Amino acid sequence: GDSVTQMEGPVTLSEEAFLTINCTYTATGYPSLFWYVQYPGEGLQLLLKATKADDKGSNKGFEATYRKETTSFHLEKGSVQVSDSAVYFCALRGPGTYKYIFGTGTRLKVLA
Amino acid sequence: SQTIHQWPVTLVQPVGSPLSLECTVEGTSNPNLYWYRQAAGRGLQLLFYSVGIGQISSEVPQNLSASRPQDRQFILSSKKLLLSDSGFYLCAWSVWTADTEAFFGQGTRLTVV
């Protein structure tokens, strides 16, 4: 079945450091790919998405590119802030399916 | 605009007691509805999803059940809670097209004691 693999956390960075959170997937066909963010005690919020190969999703300085050849959707940000501290989830939804499959999440902690 | 309401926000229940969590969506018709569970330090596990009234698909066999009595209402239930049912429960909705995201409620923190 479809699956998503994320790098293990936690990730601890200093403010203004470069962020990469790796995400790879296994799916049939061309799934839609998503990054969600979860702040403590809250539900998930969509951060960005990409729906076809080579698409780049971006929002609030975060970016991720849909790489079909490597089945990856890595999240990047050039300069993180303390307010970016949260848990980040990579997810997919396969074509013709209803289910959203999530990775295990990566906790990010940004230090001032 | 569409909104999703999930309640209660927190719940402490004794082992063996029943459970009912409710989720409603406003501003859309015939949404796909989902229940996820997030255990401490783990990812999101899909429990149930529904594509229409009375249509429930179960992903994980367990002592939980789900019902969809109305188009925009989704209920998660248990007759007898176990300690292992503790976790953060999230309701979500989406439209039928696969290139759109799911929208999540604020979650319910369930502690079984």
Side-chain angles (χ1 to χ4, degrees):
Chain A
D2 296 349
S3 65
V4 175
T5 302
Q6 278 183 248
M7 63 186 288
E8 291 288 330
V11 174
T12 303
L13 296 173
S14 298
E15 206 165 24
E16 299 184 2
F18 184 85
L19 169 71
T20 299
I21 300 178
N22 291 337
C23 171
T24 57
Y25 67 89
T26 301
T28 302
Y30 292 82
S32 295
L33 302 175
F34 309 89
W35 276 103
Y36 283 84
V37 59
Q38 184 183 34
Y39 298 101
E42 298 184 7
L44 275 67
Q45 304 173 26
L46 179 71
L47 183 59
L48 53 84
K49 69 179 183 181
T51 58
K52 58 182 186 293
D54 300 324
D55 266 2
K56 177 185 285 188
S58 61
N59 185 27
K60 299 179 181 178
F62 291 90
E63 293 183 339
T65 301
Y66 190 139
R67 302 288 188 196
K68 181 64 177 175
E69 64 275 13
T70 55
T71 62
S72 65
F73 192 52
H74 304 321
L75 182 68
E76 297 181 334
K77 186 176 185 182
S79 176
V80 294
Q81 306 299 313
V82 172
S83 57
D84 293 326
S85 298
V87 180
Y88 292 82
F89 290 92
C90 185
L92 68 81
R93 179 176 169 181
T97 72
Y98 299 103
K99 298 187 288 186
Y100 293 83
I101 307 300
F102 285 82
T104 53
T106 302
R107 183 176 299 277
L108 170 66
K109 184 174 182 180
V110 180
L111 304 176
Chain B
S1 64
Q2 301 90 0
T3 56
I4 179 169
H5 302 282
Q6 188 181 341
W7 66 92
V9 175
T10 60
L11 191 59
V12 179
Q13 291 285 94
V15 169
S17 64
L19 172 73
S20 180
L21 302 181
E22 190 163 342
C23 172
T24 60
V25 179
E26 297 177 355
T28 188
S29 296
N30 197 30
N32 299 327
L33 297 172
Y34 309 85
W35 279 111
Y36 285 87
R37 178 169 61 198
Q38 184 178 18
R42 299 178 64 181
L44 269 70
Q45 181 185 37
L46 178 61
L47 302 175
F48 303 94
Y49 67 95
S50 171
V51 300
I53 297 175
Q55 300 178 58
I56 308 296
S57 296
S58 174
E59 290 295 297
V60 182
Q62 59 211 323
N63 71 323
L64 298 172
S65 62
S67 61
R68 185 171 177 172
Q70 300 180 44
D71 181 45
R72 291 169 288 177
Q73 184 185 27
F74 205 27
I75 298 172
L76 182 69
S77 303
S78 173
K79 293 182 179 178
K80 289 185 178 181
L81 284 169
L82 306 173
L83 285 174
S84 58
D85 291 324
S86 294
F88 193 52
Y89 289 81
L90 289 155
C91 182
W93 72 273
S94 75
V95 297
W96 69 272
T97 50
D99 61 353
T100 54
E101 63 269 29
F103 299 89
F104 283 82
Q106 66 181 356
T108 296
R109 173 73 58 191
L110 172 65
T111 304
V112 182
V113 295

PDB file of all heavy atoms in Angstrom, chain B residues 12-40:
ATOM      1  N   VAL B  12     -11.336  13.048  30.054  1.00  0.00           N
ATOM      2  CA  VAL B  12     -10.713  12.035  30.903  1.00  0.00           C
ATOM      3  C   VAL B  12     -11.808  11.030  31.234  1.00  0.00           C
ATOM      4  O   VAL B  12     -12.832  11.394  31.795  1.00  0.00           O
ATOM      5  CB  VAL B  12     -10.120  12.637  32.188  1.00  0.00           C
ATOM      6  CG1 VAL B  12      -9.496  11.534  33.042  1.00  0.00           C
ATOM      7  CG2 VAL B  12      -9.099  13.698  31.853  1.00  0.00           C
ATOM      8  N   GLN B  13     -11.570   9.776  30.865  1.00  0.00           N
ATOM      9  CA  GLN B  13     -12.577   8.748  31.039  1.00  0.00           C
ATOM     10  C   GLN B  13     -11.975   7.518  31.726  1.00  0.00           C
ATOM     11  O   GLN B  13     -10.827   7.160  31.454  1.00  0.00           O
ATOM     12  CB  GLN B  13     -13.127   8.309  29.673  1.00  0.00           C
ATOM     13  CG  GLN B  13     -13.967   9.365  28.950  1.00  0.00           C
ATOM     14  CD  GLN B  13     -15.335   9.518  29.561  1.00  0.00           C
ATOM     15  OE1 GLN B  13     -15.544  10.382  30.417  1.00  0.00           O
ATOM     16  NE2 GLN B  13     -16.280   8.690  29.115  1.00  0.00           N
ATOM     17  N   PRO B  14     -12.738   6.857  32.580  1.00  0.00           N
ATOM     18  CA  PRO B  14     -12.221   5.623  33.208  1.00  0.00           C
ATOM     19  C   PRO B  14     -12.261   4.461  32.221  1.00  0.00           C
ATOM     20  O   PRO B  14     -13.057   4.427  31.276  1.00  0.00           O
ATOM     21  CB  PRO B  14     -13.197   5.399  34.372  1.00  0.00           C
ATOM     22  CG  PRO B  14     -14.445   6.104  33.974  1.00  0.00           C
ATOM     23  CD  PRO B  14     -14.045   7.263  33.134  1.00  0.00           C
ATOM     24  N   VAL B  15     -11.378   3.512  32.458  1.00  0.00           N
ATOM     25  CA  VAL B  15     -11.382   2.275  31.675  1.00  0.00           C
ATOM     26  C   VAL B  15     -12.761   1.618  31.761  1.00  0.00           C
ATOM     27  O   VAL B  15     -13.382   1.580  32.822  1.00  0.00           O
ATOM     28  CB  VAL B  15     -10.297   1.310  32.206  1.00  0.00           C
ATOM     29  CG1 VAL B  15     -10.459  -0.070  31.590  1.00  0.00           C
ATOM     30  CG2 VAL B  15      -8.915   1.848  31.917  1.00  0.00           C
ATOM     31  N   GLY B  16     -13.236   1.142  30.633  1.00  0.00           N
ATOM     32  CA  GLY B  16     -14.518   0.459  30.605  1.00  0.00           C
ATOM     33  C   GLY B  16     -15.714   1.351  30.367  1.00  0.00           C
ATOM     34  O   GLY B  16     -16.837   0.859  30.148  1.00  0.00           O
ATOM     35  N   SER B  17     -15.490   2.654  30.351  1.00  0.00           N
ATOM     36  CA  SER B  17     -16.602   3.583  30.115  1.00  0.00           C
ATOM     37  C   SER B  17     -16.814   3.773  28.619  1.00  0.00           C
ATOM     38  O   SER B  17     -15.916   3.498  27.808  1.00  0.00           O
ATOM     39  CB  SER B  17     -16.321   4.922  30.783  1.00  0.00           C
ATOM     40  OG  SER B  17     -15.192   5.534  30.198  1.00  0.00           O
ATOM     41  N   PRO B  18     -17.987   4.277  28.217  1.00  0.00           N
ATOM     42  CA  PRO B  18     -18.232   4.511  26.790  1.00  0.00           C
ATOM     43  C   PRO B  18     -17.622   5.829  26.332  1.00  0.00           C
ATOM     44  O   PRO B  18     -17.240   6.672  27.131  1.00  0.00           O
ATOM     45  CB  PRO B  18     -19.767   4.570  26.715  1.00  0.00           C
ATOM     46  CG  PRO B  18     -20.177   5.059  28.060  1.00  0.00           C
ATOM     47  CD  PRO B  18     -19.187   4.495  29.035  1.00  0.00           C
ATOM     48  N   LEU B  19     -17.553   5.968  25.010  1.00  0.00           N
ATOM     49  CA  LEU B  19     -16.974   7.164  24.417  1.00  0.00           C
ATOM     50  C   LEU B  19     -17.831   7.642  23.265  1.00  0.00           C
ATOM     51  O   LEU B  19     -18.359   6.827  22.490  1.00  0.00           O
ATOM     52  CB  LEU B  19     -15.575   6.872  23.883  1.00  0.00           C
ATOM     53  CG  LEU B  19     -14.903   7.985  23.065  1.00  0.00           C
ATOM     54  CD1 LEU B  19     -14.471   9.119  23.981  1.00  0.00           C
ATOM     55  CD2 LEU B  19     -13.728   7.456  22.256  1.00  0.00           C
ATOM     56  N   SER B  20     -17.964   8.952  23.143  1.00  0.00           N
ATOM     57  CA  SER B  20     -18.596   9.545  21.979  1.00  0.00           C
ATOM     58  C   SER B  20     -17.926  10.870  21.684  1.00  0.00           C
ATOM     59  O   SER B  20     -17.980  11.790  22.491  1.00  0.00           O
ATOM     60  CB  SER B  20     -20.099   9.759  22.210  1.00  0.00           C
ATOM     61  OG  SER B  20     -20.695  10.332  21.051  1.00  0.00           O
ATOM     62  N   LEU B  21     -17.263  10.944  20.549  1.00  0.00           N
ATOM     63  CA  LEU B  21     -16.658  12.182  20.073  1.00  0.00           C
ATOM     64  C   LEU B  21     -17.410  12.614  18.824  1.00  0.00           C
ATOM     65  O   LEU B  21     -17.696  11.796  17.959  1.00  0.00           O
ATOM     66  CB  LEU B  21     -15.180  11.981  19.737  1.00  0.00           C
ATOM     67  CG  LEU B  21     -14.278  11.468  20.844  1.00  0.00           C
ATOM     68  CD1 LEU B  21     -12.835  11.358  20.332  1.00  0.00           C
ATOM     69  CD2 LEU B  21     -14.350  12.347  22.056  1.00  0.00           C
ATOM     70  N   GLU B  22     -17.675  13.902  18.745  1.00  0.00           N
ATOM     71  CA  GLU B  22     -18.488  14.386  17.632  1.00  0.00           C
ATOM     72  C   GLU B  22     -17.737  15.409  16.797  1.00  0.00           C
ATOM     73  O   GLU B  22     -16.939  16.200  17.300  1.00  0.00           O
ATOM     74  CB  GLU B  22     -19.788  14.987  18.150  1.00  0.00           C
ATOM     75  CG  GLU B  22     -20.793  15.303  17.050  1.00  0.00           C
ATOM     76  CD  GLU B  22     -22.199  15.505  17.571  1.00  0.00           C
ATOM     77  OE1 GLU B  22     -22.475  15.071  18.701  1.00  0.00           O
ATOM     78  OE2 GLU B  22     -23.023  16.086  16.836  1.00  0.00           O
ATOM     79  N   CYS B  23     -18.018  15.386  15.524  1.00  0.00           N
ATOM     80  CA  CYS B  23     -17.387  16.288  14.574  1.00  0.00           C
ATOM     81  C   CYS B  23     -18.442  16.753  13.581  1.00  0.00           C
ATOM     82  O   CYS B  23     -19.210  15.926  13.057  1.00  0.00           O
ATOM     83  CB  CYS B  23     -16.265  15.552  13.855  1.00  0.00           C
ATOM     84  SG  CYS B  23     -15.501  16.427  12.497  1.00  0.00           S
ATOM     85  N   THR B  24     -18.487  18.059  13.340  1.00  0.00           N
ATOM     86  CA  THR B  24     -19.412  18.572  12.332  1.00  0.00           C
ATOM     87  C   THR B  24     -18.681  19.543  11.415  1.00  0.00           C
ATOM     88  O   THR B  24     -17.756  20.240  11.838  1.00  0.00           O
ATOM     89  CB  THR B  24     -20.629  19.277  12.947  1.00  0.00           C
ATOM     90  OG1 THR B  24     -20.173  20.378  13.742  1.00  0.00           O
ATOM     91  CG2 THR B  24     -21.429  18.336  13.808  1.00  0.00           C
ATOM     92  N   VAL B  25     -19.115  19.570  10.180  1.00  0.00           N
ATOM     93  CA  VAL B  25     -18.528  20.442   9.175  1.00  0.00           C
ATOM     94  C   VAL B  25     -19.607  21.392   8.685  1.00  0.00           C
ATOM     95  O   VAL B  25     -20.760  20.986   8.494  1.00  0.00           O
ATOM     96  CB  VAL B  25     -17.960  19.622   8.007  1.00  0.00           C
ATOM     97  CG1 VAL B  25     -17.365  20.531   6.937  1.00  0.00           C
ATOM     98  CG2 VAL B  25     -16.924  18.635   8.507  1.00  0.00           C
ATOM     99  N   GLU B  26     -19.229  22.647   8.477  1.00  0.00           N
ATOM    100  CA  GLU B  26     -20.160  23.645   7.962  1.00  0.00           C
ATOM    101  C   GLU B  26     -19.621  24.224   6.667  1.00  0.00           C
ATOM    102  O   GLU B  26     -18.419  24.305   6.446  1.00  0.00           O
ATOM    103  CB  GLU B  26     -20.349  24.763   8.986  1.00  0.00           C
ATOM    104  CG  GLU B  26     -20.976  24.321  10.294  1.00  0.00           C
ATOM    105  CD  GLU B  26     -21.083  25.467  11.297  1.00  0.00           C
ATOM    106  OE1 GLU B  26     -20.588  26.566  10.987  1.00  0.00           O
ATOM    107  OE2 GLU B  26     -21.646  25.252  12.377  1.00  0.00           O
ATOM    108  N   GLY B  27     -20.545  24.621   5.797  1.00  0.00           N
ATOM    109  CA  GLY B  27     -20.151  25.351   4.601  1.00  0.00           C
ATOM    110  C   GLY B  27     -19.814  24.503   3.405  1.00  0.00           C
ATOM    111  O   GLY B  27     -19.291  25.025   2.405  1.00  0.00           O
ATOM    112  N   THR B  28     -20.085  23.206   3.449  1.00  0.00           N
ATOM    113  CA  THR B  28     -19.832  22.344   2.306  1.00  0.00           C
ATOM    114  C   THR B  28     -20.823  21.193   2.329  1.00  0.00           C
ATOM    115  O   THR B  28     -21.405  20.891   3.373  1.00  0.00           O
ATOM    116  CB  THR B  28     -18.389  21.805   2.320  1.00  0.00           C
ATOM    117  OG1 THR B  28     -18.130  21.113   1.089  1.00  0.00           O
ATOM    118  CG2 THR B  28     -18.161  20.861   3.482  1.00  0.00           C
ATOM    119  N   SER B  29     -20.993  20.553   1.203  1.00  0.00           N
ATOM    120  CA  SER B  29     -21.916  19.416   1.117  1.00  0.00           C
ATOM    121  C   SER B  29     -21.171  18.165   0.682  1.00  0.00           C
ATOM    122  O   SER B  29     -20.220  18.229  -0.092  1.00  0.00           O
ATOM    123  CB  SER B  29     -23.028  19.706   0.099  1.00  0.00           C
ATOM    124  OG  SER B  29     -23.812  20.791   0.509  1.00  0.00           O
ATOM    125  N   ASN B  30     -21.638  17.020   1.201  1.00  0.00           N
ATOM    126  CA  ASN B  30     -21.077  15.720   0.843  1.00  0.00           C
ATOM    127  C   ASN B  30     -19.558  15.661   0.978  1.00  0.00           C
ATOM    128  O   ASN B  30     -18.850  15.222   0.064  1.00  0.00           O
ATOM    129  CB  ASN B  30     -21.486  15.335  -0.574  1.00  0.00           C
ATOM    130  CG  ASN B  30     -21.287  13.859  -0.840  1.00  0.00           C
ATOM    131  OD1 ASN B  30     -21.393  13.038   0.081  1.00  0.00           O
ATOM    132  ND2 ASN B  30     -20.969  13.496  -2.072  1.00  0.00           N
ATOM    133  N   PRO B  31     -19.039  16.088   2.114  1.00  0.00           N
ATOM    134  CA  PRO B  31     -17.571  15.994   2.278  1.00  0.00           C
ATOM    135  C   PRO B  31     -17.146  14.556   2.569  1.00  0.00           C
ATOM    136  O   PRO B  31     -17.941  13.746   3.042  1.00  0.00           O
ATOM    137  CB  PRO B  31     -17.323  16.871   3.497  1.00  0.00           C
ATOM    138  CG  PRO B  31     -18.572  16.719   4.312  1.00  0.00           C
ATOM    139  CD  PRO B  31     -19.691  16.621   3.310  1.00  0.00           C
ATOM    140  N   ASN B  32     -15.896  14.260   2.275  1.00  0.00           N
ATOM    141  CA  ASN B  32     -15.282  13.049   2.823  1.00  0.00           C
ATOM    142  C   ASN B  32     -14.908  13.385   4.271  1.00  0.00           C
ATOM    143  O   ASN B  32     -14.421  14.480   4.553  1.00  0.00           O
ATOM    144  CB  ASN B  32     -14.011  12.683   2.058  1.00  0.00           C
ATOM    145  CG  ASN B  32     -14.289  12.399   0.597  1.00  0.00           C
ATOM    146  OD1 ASN B  32     -15.336  11.885   0.223  1.00  0.00           O
ATOM    147  ND2 ASN B  32     -13.349  12.763  -0.248  1.00  0.00           N
ATOM    148  N   LEU B  33     -15.136  12.438   5.173  1.00  0.00           N
ATOM    149  CA  LEU B  33     -14.856  12.678   6.589  1.00  0.00           C
ATOM    150  C   LEU B  33     -13.908  11.618   7.121  1.00  0.00           C
ATOM    151  O   LEU B  33     -13.961  10.461   6.681  1.00  0.00           O
ATOM    152  CB  LEU B  33     -16.163  12.683   7.401  1.00  0.00           C
ATOM    153  CG  LEU B  33     -17.154  13.797   7.046  1.00  0.00           C
ATOM    154  CD1 LEU B  33     -18.476  13.587   7.766  1.00  0.00           C
ATOM    155  CD2 LEU B  33     -16.564  15.154   7.395  1.00  0.00           C
ATOM    156  N   TYR B  34     -13.065  12.017   8.053  1.00  0.00           N
ATOM    157  CA  TYR B  34     -12.002  11.135   8.549  1.00  0.00           C
ATOM    158  C   TYR B  34     -11.881  11.254  10.063  1.00  0.00           C
ATOM    159  O   TYR B  34     -12.068  12.330  10.631  1.00  0.00           O
ATOM    160  CB  TYR B  34     -10.652  11.533   7.937  1.00  0.00           C
ATOM    161  CG  TYR B  34     -10.641  11.659   6.431  1.00  0.00           C
ATOM    162  CD1 TYR B  34     -11.032  12.842   5.813  1.00  0.00           C
ATOM    163  CD2 TYR B  34     -10.221  10.602   5.626  1.00  0.00           C
ATOM    164  CE1 TYR B  34     -11.029  12.963   4.438  1.00  0.00           C
ATOM    165  CE2 TYR B  34     -10.203  10.725   4.244  1.00  0.00           C
ATOM    166  CZ  TYR B  34     -10.615  11.903   3.658  1.00  0.00           C
ATOM    167  OH  TYR B  34     -10.607  12.018   2.283  1.00  0.00           O
ATOM    168  N   TRP B  35     -11.505  10.146  10.690  1.00  0.00           N
ATOM    169  CA  TRP B  35     -11.023  10.141  12.073  1.00  0.00           C
ATOM    170  C   TRP B  35      -9.600   9.588  12.080  1.00  0.00           C
ATOM    171  O   TRP B  35      -9.343   8.496  11.566  1.00  0.00           O
ATOM    172  CB  TRP B  35     -11.892   9.272  12.975  1.00  0.00           C
ATOM    173  CG  TRP B  35     -13.147   9.913  13.456  1.00  0.00           C
ATOM    174  CD1 TRP B  35     -14.432   9.600  13.109  1.00  0.00           C
ATOM    175  CD2 TRP B  35     -13.258  10.993  14.403  1.00  0.00           C
ATOM    176  NE1 TRP B  35     -15.322  10.416  13.760  1.00  0.00           N
ATOM    177  CE2 TRP B  35     -14.636  11.272  14.575  1.00  0.00           C
ATOM    178  CE3 TRP B  35     -12.330  11.749  15.136  1.00  0.00           C
ATOM    179  CZ2 TRP B  35     -15.108  12.260  15.421  1.00  0.00           C
ATOM    180  CZ3 TRP B  35     -12.802  12.734  15.972  1.00  0.00           C
ATOM    181  CH2 TRP B  35     -14.183  12.990  16.112  1.00  0.00           C
ATOM    182  N   TYR B  36      -8.698  10.364  12.677  1.00  0.00           N
ATOM    183  CA  TYR B  36      -7.314   9.953  12.874  1.00  0.00           C
ATOM    184  C   TYR B  36      -7.025   9.908  14.379  1.00  0.00           C
ATOM    185  O   TYR B  36      -7.628  10.636  15.168  1.00  0.00           O
ATOM    186  CB  TYR B  36      -6.338  10.948  12.240  1.00  0.00           C
ATOM    187  CG  TYR B  36      -6.254  10.885  10.730  1.00  0.00           C
ATOM    188  CD1 TYR B  36      -7.128  11.616   9.938  1.00  0.00           C
ATOM    189  CD2 TYR B  36      -5.278  10.114  10.102  1.00  0.00           C
ATOM    190  CE1 TYR B  36      -7.048  11.568   8.556  1.00  0.00           C
ATOM    191  CE2 TYR B  36      -5.174  10.075   8.719  1.00  0.00           C
ATOM    192  CZ  TYR B  36      -6.069  10.791   7.958  1.00  0.00           C
ATOM    193  OH  TYR B  36      -5.978  10.748   6.579  1.00  0.00           O
ATOM    194  N   ARG B  37      -6.051   9.101  14.754  1.00  0.00           N
ATOM    195  CA  ARG B  37      -5.544   9.092  16.121  1.00  0.00           C
ATOM    196  C   ARG B  37      -4.034   9.323  16.086  1.00  0.00           C
ATOM    197  O   ARG B  37      -3.319   8.760  15.252  1.00  0.00           O
ATOM    198  CB  ARG B  37      -5.829   7.778  16.838  1.00  0.00           C
ATOM    199  CG  ARG B  37      -5.264   7.711  18.257  1.00  0.00           C
ATOM    200  CD  ARG B  37      -5.781   6.516  19.009  1.00  0.00           C
ATOM    201  NE  ARG B  37      -5.427   5.258  18.375  1.00  0.00           N
ATOM    202  CZ  ARG B  37      -6.039   4.101  18.641  1.00  0.00           C
ATOM    203  NH1 ARG B  37      -7.026   4.050  19.502  1.00  0.00           N
ATOM    204  NH2 ARG B  37      -5.656   2.991  18.035  1.00  0.00           N
ATOM    205  N   GLN B  38      -3.623  10.151  17.015  1.00  0.00           N
ATOM    206  CA  GLN B  38      -2.199  10.444  17.161  1.00  0.00           C
ATOM    207  C   GLN B  38      -1.790  10.045  18.566  1.00  0.00           C
ATOM    208  O   GLN B  38      -2.149  10.692  19.539  1.00  0.00           O
ATOM    209  CB  GLN B  38      -1.943  11.944  16.938  1.00  0.00           C
ATOM    210  CG  GLN B  38      -0.503  12.337  16.971  1.00  0.00           C
ATOM    211  CD  GLN B  38      -0.321  13.824  16.686  1.00  0.00           C
ATOM    212  OE1 GLN B  38      -1.255  14.610  16.784  1.00  0.00           O
ATOM    213  NE2 GLN B  38       0.891  14.223  16.335  1.00  0.00           N
ATOM    214  N   ALA B  39      -1.076   8.948  18.684  1.00  0.00           N
ATOM    215  CA  ALA B  39      -0.581   8.516  19.982  1.00  0.00           C
ATOM    216  C   ALA B  39       0.685   9.302  20.306  1.00  0.00           C
ATOM    217  O   ALA B  39       1.358   9.823  19.404  1.00  0.00           O
ATOM    218  CB  ALA B  39      -0.314   7.021  19.973  1.00  0.00           C
ATOM    219  N   ALA B  40       1.021   9.380  21.583  1.00  0.00           N
ATOM    220  CA  ALA B  40       2.153  10.173  22.026  1.00  0.00           C
ATOM    221  C   ALA B  40       3.427   9.756  21.293  1.00  0.00           C
ATOM    222  O   ALA B  40       3.793   8.578  21.295  1.00  0.00           O
ATOM    223  CB  ALA B  40       2.341  10.013  23.528  1.00  0.00           C
TER     224      ALA B  40
END
